[in-house]
Amino acid sequence: KQWYQRRVAITAGAEQHPTAQHSTANVPYDVAWNPNINHLAAQNCNFVVSCKDSPVQLVDAFTGKTRASFTAFNNVEVLISAFSVCYLSSDKVLAGYCKHVRVFDATRPGRECSVLAVGDKQHENNNSIVSTVAQHPSSHGLFGAGCYNSTVALYSTEIGGVLMPFYGPQHGVTQITFSQDGTRLYCGSRMESEIYCFDTRYNGSVLHTYKRDVQTHQRIQFDINTSQTLLATGNHDGSVLLFDLTHGCSSTNQLQEGVQFEGAETNEIGEVSSRGLRFEAHKDTVNGVSFHPYWGLLATVSGRRHFHIEDSTVEENSLKIWSF
């Protein structure tokens, strides 16, 4: 592997300023972009965000202003917060709550929605906080839901109950992501060092696992690039791991020799471990990674809660963009 001692050009110049900014009333829980976003179609240039003690908000991507709000109340008319959100389509928003999910019409803000229970009598343990939701890319109305009690399952907005359970995670599920063809479901959990790859065609069996380092309860994000060839994930020690998804997708896969990253900071960057290609991205926990949908760019963010017991504790709350 060949590595370079420079950062990608778009971050090396003058101070960067956001094109739009949206301020939430409380701690944000989750955010999701409109799947059909297009700067030529203003009606699709939006995203949804959920935060503590607030309704789900539909936000204009150009101005950062709230376009609409979707509220949910419990049986005593107290506002409840969504812990996870995603789009089922351009006009349908799915939000995860405690023991259930709700489907809102994006064109009709307010409290009107469809309520779907998570879990059934056969799978009673799947009744915790719905911490992550994801739309199935090729089947209308299908979605996956993961909970903090370590359960993951496939559901439908048209058929009640669990369609397909997935077994493997031992701790609270923090993220699930479908492959572009919908045949695989990737799942990550807190305090667990494995990302699971499930086969959605054959009873949810585990196809592969990818090793990483997760030592806290925070969400350590992973992402898959548009061509479905690379999986990137953050680590507790400030490094980023990259896995090759084109050669069997095993936990021992390494990247091909043609893949090169720019932005190395130390001589240790570029180490190829038995788990994948590893490089040091930050001096603190990497909790978020995201591939650019069209360019060869990878964004990473770092930060975690520190308890200042030892003087050697290193804090870094930063965003970096890498070119490869």
Side-chain angles (χ1 to χ4, degrees):
K1 299 301 181 291
Q2 186 177 2
W3 296 82
Y4 302 89
Q5 297 291 334
R6 61 186 179 86
R7 194 72 44 81
V8 62
I10 59 176
T11 61
E15 180 181 356
Q16 302 295 314
H17 299 281
T19 56
Q21 184 173 346
H22 175 73
S23 298
T24 58
N26 214 317
V27 179
Y29 285 146
D30 199 9
V31 63
W33 285 96
N34 189 317
N36 298 323
I37 187 170
N38 187 339
H39 72 281
L40 299 179
Q43 69 274 15
N44 291 332
C45 291
N46 52 63
F47 59 90
V48 288
V49 59
S50 63
C51 58
K52 183 179 179 181
D53 299 331
S54 299
V56 175
Q57 295 181 337
L58 181 71
V59 182
D60 191 304
F62 289 138
T63 64
K65 296 182 179 179
T66 301
R67 287 187 183 178
S69 296
F70 309 98
T71 55
F73 297 88
N74 60 15
N75 57 346
V76 292
E77 290 297 308
V78 175
L79 178 70
I80 55 178
S81 307
F83 296 95
S84 54
V85 288
C86 77
Y87 280 87
L88 289 178
S89 62
S90 292
D91 57 353
K92 296 292 182 182
V93 175
L94 177 69
Y97 296 85
C98 183
K99 301 183 181 181
H100 71 279
V101 297
R102 301 190 181 213
V103 181
F104 296 95
D105 188 340
T107 63
R108 302 184 66 181
R111 60 186 299 175
E112 184 177 348
C113 63
S114 301
V115 180
L116 304 173
V118 173
D120 55 20
K121 294 182 179 179
Q122 185 178 358
H123 306 90
E124 293 180 352
N125 62 333
N126 198 4
N127 59 3
S128 180
I129 289 176
V130 182
S131 54
T132 175
V133 288
Q135 172 209 7
H136 193 282
S138 59
S139 298
H140 178 72
L142 286 182
F143 66 92
C147 300
Y148 277 145
N149 63 356
S150 77
T151 56
V152 184
L154 187 65
Y155 299 89
S156 171
T157 57
E158 300 176 357
I159 303 175
V162 176
L163 297 183
M164 182 183 296
F166 302 97
Y167 301 105
Q170 303 299 315
H171 297 86
V173 178
T174 55
Q175 183 184 356
I176 58 173
T177 299
F178 284 100
S179 60
Q180 283 188 349
D181 58 5
T183 60
R184 295 176 181 177
L185 176 67
Y186 298 86
C187 170
S189 306
R190 58 188 183 183
M191 295 294 294
E192 189 163 356
S193 60
E194 292 180 327
I195 296 175
Y196 292 88
C197 176
F198 297 102
D199 192 335
T200 61
R201 300 166 297 178
Y202 301 105
N203 299 322
S205 58
V206 178
L207 283 177
H208 315 286
T209 58
Y210 304 90
K211 299 291 185 180
R212 62 175 180 173
D213 181 23
V214 178
Q215 301 179 20
T216 66
H217 288 279
Q218 72 182 119
R219 179 179 300 174
I220 305 297
Q221 186 184 17
F222 63 88
D223 194 22
I224 302 173
N225 65 345
T226 306
S227 61
Q228 303 289 288
T229 57
L230 295 176
L231 183 148
T233 178
N235 276 320
H236 179 80
D237 61 358
S239 63
V240 172
L241 277 170
L242 292 165
F243 295 95
D244 185 359
L245 302 183
T246 62
H247 293 78
C249 301
S250 68
S251 60
T252 58
N253 276 353
Q254 300 174 358
L255 291 178
Q256 299 302 301
E257 293 296 329
V259 179
Q260 300 174 348
F261 260 80
E262 301 177 1
E265 294 182 340
T266 68
N267 293 331
E268 297 179 356
I269 292 189
E271 171 191 351
V272 180
S273 69
S274 60
R275 300 182 299 179
L277 180 65
R278 172 185 175 273
F279 69 96
E280 299 293 337
H282 299 265
K283 297 179 181 179
D284 205 348
T285 300
V286 178
N287 55 60
V289 295
S290 181
F291 282 105
H292 192 282
Y294 310 116
W295 299 342
L297 300 176
L298 175 69
T300 61
V301 293
S302 66
R304 65 183 174 94
R305 178 176 294 178
H306 287 264
F307 300 94
H308 297 281
I309 300 176
E310 300 179 1
D311 295 334
S312 60
T313 302
V314 177
E315 293 188 36
E316 180 185 340
N317 302 308
S318 64
L319 164 66
K320 296 181 181 180
I321 301 178
W322 308 83
S323 174
F324 66 96

